[in-house]
Amino acid sequence: MDDSQRAQAESRARMMFREIDADADGQLTVQEILDYSIKNTRSYEPFAVDKMFGSIIAADADKNHSVSEEEFVRHYVESQA
Ligand SMILES: [Ca+2]
């Protein structure tokens, strides 16, 4: 991934972060991630929700059950590389 691809992935990640961060406090809680996963898989198929939820919660590098913008962006960019 070159610098411009990295910058694009980063800006996509920041947009997505704002969508998930329902109360706009700069942290994604488990509840916010779950709500977003249910809304965006557009199905109640448990596996699809679980997969999206798992891929977002995996960004919680310090395992404090909330995901900061920097954690989320770093995780997203790495997952696109
Ligand atoms: Ca939040």
Side-chain angles (χ1 to χ4, degrees):
M1 179 160 21
D2 66 25
D3 283 355
S4 82
Q5 284 169 317
R6 183 168 283 271
Q8 275 175 25
E10 221 183 283
S11 84
R12 276 200 304 276
R14 290 190 196 282
M15 270 161 53
M16 196 172 156
F17 184 89
R18 278 179 203 110
E19 258 183 76
I20 305 170
D21 187 15
D23 65 0
D25 69 347
Q27 295 286 328
L28 307 182
T29 62
V30 171
Q31 188 62 53
E32 285 172 332
I33 297 166
L34 188 59
D35 289 347
Y36 179 86
S37 301
I38 291 168
K39 199 171 78 195
N40 284 275
T41 47
R42 289 167 212 261
S43 84
Y44 294 94
E45 207 249 293
F47 184 71
V49 172
D50 195 56
K51 200 173 152 198
M52 184 176 279
F53 180 81
S55 75
I56 300 171
I57 202 74
D60 179 19
D62 60 7
K63 303 286 175 228
N64 68 347
H65 304 292
S66 73
V67 177
S68 70
E69 182 163 350
E70 290 319 306
E71 282 177 336
F72 182 80
V73 169
R74 199 178 323 128
H75 178 79
Y76 184 88
V77 171
E78 275 164 20
S79 75
Q80 302 290 299

